Amino acid sequence: MDTQQTRRMMDPFWDQSVLPSLARYIEIPNQSQLFDPEWKAHGHMARAVEHVRRWVSEQGLSGSKLEIIQDGDRTPVLLLEVAAAGSGERDDTVLLYGHLDKQPPMTGWADDLGPWKPVIRDGKLYGRGGADDGYAIYAIVAAIKALQEQGAKHARLVALIECGEESGSPDLPHYVNQLSDRIGTPGLVICLDSGCGNYEQLWNTTSLRGLSSGELKVEILTEGVHSGSASGIVPSSFRIVRMLLDRLEDSSTGLLKPDWLHVNVPDHRVREAEKTAAVLGRQVFGEFPFVDGATPAASDLVELLLRRTWRPTLSITGQSGIPGVHQAGSVLRPNTSLVLSVRLPPTLAADGVGVRMKELLEANPPYGARVTFDVDKAASGWAAPALSPWLAASLEGASQAFFGKPACAYGEGGTIPFMGMLGEKFPNAQFVITGVLGPKSNAHGPNEFLHIQTAKNVTACVTHILADFSVR
């Protein structure tokens, strides 16, 4: 591959074709099924998939087959198959992955921005789903076009784009099994749904945390009563929640207490975190919008990285039973509910974690309160196999060619259920897990943006990794 020719093709193609179509995709409020249970009736998911299908078909990829597949009430998948060029056997396959479903809009967007309002400013494309993860299929197609324009050899390519990742990919195992003959046995998996430590290098994700979540509800009264009359006699449901959370988390450190939520962090991952800390410095925590004077949960940068990638953590992501500030009266509330989201170490199986959390939280309820924990979803994490020499060299060469700096590797704190599934199904495959979700890109939150130049660079890197795979 000619790196200069790739660059000359990639930048204008993104500007003239990808960004206009991606902006229209952002306008479609295709929330994942967990957040829009009536997604099928609303039709936003179908619109988004058809919009992308139409754009892909217009690109005229040689030897390609494109299909939308939807079984019954399952969310659809977009399957793109591209025949090998120049060399490669049927089983010499690269599987590429992305998703088209989105997180909810959230509040707090800047006055001139919005979740369904694409805005390009200062080299960034703002709007929900552009970076997480609508850009992925566009990057995949752009990389394939670059290969074909240069007449480069490449293996058989299969792109699988799902529509349920933000809900834990509940339909994906069905489709992977159903399409197993068409997917084949990939020697390389490329996922474009991850993050980057900065916008200056190619980042390869080496681990992903798992997830176990559910709703904790505490009921102490059958109805609300005057707080002046009842407080001191009736224990607050909120205080009982706090007591229960103390079973799970040390509130002074943020570390989780049960031994069964922890694993031994591999030594090579500790060394990796040390290298990442040296590259990023204070950006390890500086990417987050702390209020003035606030500090991170620990002072040691390596420990912060390990907490983000290999330690279990608890987040409270939702609540009910608590009125808004301006609706609060002098009432001792009858109940409090919280959504608990526990991130799990990459190598800890998620199966059974929710049951153990339920046992922990429901046992011996304080003051005889009615305590229930309803398990919502669970997904195991993933840890990458060691890089083959050819792939390590390819990542380094691509990063130097298109970013001008060495490639980096680190663990991510999020969850991509598909990776754990593929790791089990294809134990001999190599993995490149990368993406554009860098500092302040704020996936899942307000003011989400896609860093455009990084997206172009990552796409060019994928092009050259695909070329290197064919001659490894």
Side-chain angles (χ1 to χ4, degrees):
M1 293 291 293
D2 182 329
T3 58
Q4 293 303 315
Q5 187 173 344
T6 300
R7 174 64 75 200
R8 288 193 297 270
M9 173 269 178
M10 198 61 66
D11 287 2
F13 182 71
W14 261 85
D15 292 339
Q16 298 165 17
S17 184
V18 171
L19 290 175
S21 183
L22 186 56
R24 289 192 291 274
Y25 162 81
I26 287 174
E27 293 174 345
I28 304 172
N30 53 311
Q31 297 182 66
S32 197
Q33 67 258 52
L34 182 66
F35 312 110
D36 182 9
E38 300 300 318
W39 63 270
K40 196 169 187 180
H42 292 156
H44 302 310
M45 192 69 69
R47 286 174 54 212
V49 174
E50 175 57 23
H51 170 73
V52 170
R53 185 207 63 80
R54 190 180 309 114
W55 180 85
V56 174
S57 66
E58 292 170 353
Q59 305 314 309
L61 299 178
S62 300
S64 66
K65 179 181 179 181
L66 178 65
E67 185 178 355
I68 296 173
I69 302 171
Q70 183 170 8
D71 289 347
D73 291 330
R74 298 184 186 273
T75 54
V77 295
L78 187 68
L79 185 70
L80 171 65
E81 300 172 82
V82 181
S87 66
E89 299 295 331
R90 168 64 175 79
D91 290 335
D92 197 18
T93 297
V94 179
L95 178 62
L96 302 107
Y97 168 84
H99 68 87
L100 291 173
D101 56 315
K102 303 179 185 181
Q103 283 278 325
M106 287 288 289
T107 59
W109 290 74
D111 291 341
D112 53 347
L113 300 175
W116 322 126
K117 178 184 176 183
V119 174
I120 294 179
R121 179 189 303 154
D122 300 328
K124 305 177 183 71
L125 172 60
Y126 288 87
R128 176 65 81 232
D132 185 21
D133 184 43
Y135 91 99
I137 180 60
Y138 292 92
I140 290 167
V141 170
I144 297 171
K145 280 184 73 73
L147 287 168
Q148 295 188 345
E149 286 192 5
Q150 293 192 39
K153 295 179 181 180
H154 64 77
R156 178 175 172 271
L157 308 175
V158 178
L160 184 62
I161 310 299
E162 67 157 317
C163 292
E165 193 276 339
E166 302 293 5
S167 298
S169 300
D171 298 325
L172 200 55
H174 166 82
Y175 286 119
V176 170
N177 290 331
Q178 177 185 319
L179 301 171
S180 59
D181 289 343
R182 296 172 67 175
I183 293 173
T185 304
L188 174 65
V189 175
I190 298 178
C191 169
L192 296 176
D193 185 30
S194 193
C196 50
N198 58 32
Y199 299 114
E200 302 170 8
Q201 295 160 277
L202 178 64
W203 290 81
N204 188 35
T205 299
T206 55
S207 64
L208 297 158
R209 285 190 294 185
L211 173 68
S212 183
S213 66
E215 179 185 342
L216 174 64
K217 185 173 185 178
V218 170
E219 300 172 273
I220 191 67
L221 296 170
T222 58
E223 60 185 15
V225 296
H226 195 296
S227 59
S229 299
S231 59
I233 296 178
V234 179
S236 162
S237 62
F238 190 86
R239 182 163 67 87
I240 297 172
V241 166
R242 290 166 55 198
M243 296 170 68
L244 296 173
L245 293 181
D246 283 343
R247 301 178 180 180
L248 184 61
E249 179 190 50
D250 183 336
S251 60
S252 64
T253 65
L255 298 177
L256 299 199
K257 294 179 178 180
D259 291 341
W260 41 267
L261 288 173
H262 293 262
V263 302
N264 292 323
V265 183
D267 289 342
H268 66 287
R269 295 306 182 203
V270 175
R271 293 193 296 271
E272 180 182 277
E274 292 170 347
K275 292 179 181 178
T276 301
V279 170
L280 296 181
R282 291 174 60 85
Q283 190 59 36
V284 167
F285 62 87
E287 66 168 292
F288 302 107
F290 284 98
V291 299
D292 290 343
T295 62
S299 58
D300 184 80
L301 297 180
V302 176
E303 175 60 21
L304 287 176
L305 286 169
L306 293 176
R307 289 191 182 200
R308 178 181 177 176
T309 57
W310 281 87
R311 313 263 194 244
T313 57
L314 170 66
S315 298
I316 307 301
T317 59
Q319 63 81 26
S320 65
I322 305 177
V325 172
H326 300 295
Q327 286 75 45
S330 298
V331 177
L332 197 151
R333 298 175 296 100
N335 57 71
T336 299
S337 296
L338 300 178
V339 176
L340 311 187
S341 176
V342 175
R343 295 290 176 175
L344 307 175
T347 54
L348 180 69
D351 292 345
V353 170
V355 173
R356 298 189 76 166
M357 288 175 59
K358 183 179 181 69
E359 293 171 349
L360 177 72
L361 295 168
E362 291 186 356
N364 301 316
Y367 303 105
R370 182 182 302 159
V371 175
T372 55
F373 181 74
D374 294 327
V375 179
D376 178 19
K377 59 182 178 180
S380 295
W382 170 83
L387 290 179
S388 294
W390 78 265
L391 183 53
S394 182
L395 291 168
E396 179 66 18
S399 186
Q400 291 284 6
F402 298 105
F403 286 94
K405 288 189 176 182
C408 286
Y410 76 149
E412 270 284 12
T415 305
I416 307 176
F418 191 38
M419 292 305 104
M421 184 194 318
L422 289 183
E424 293 182 5
K425 193 173 183 65
F426 306 116
N428 296 320
Q430 288 284 285
F431 288 81
V432 175
I433 316 298
T434 190
V436 297
L437 295 169
K440 303 187 186 299
S441 58
N442 215 23
H444 300 196
N447 307 323
E448 176 187 339
F449 68 73
L450 169 80
H451 192 280
I452 295 172
Q453 189 58 56
T454 296
K456 293 176 180 179
N457 293 346
V458 167
T459 306
C461 288
V462 170
T463 303
H464 283 247
I465 293 167
L466 291 174
D468 290 341
F469 177 75
S470 68
V471 296
R472 66 194 187 284

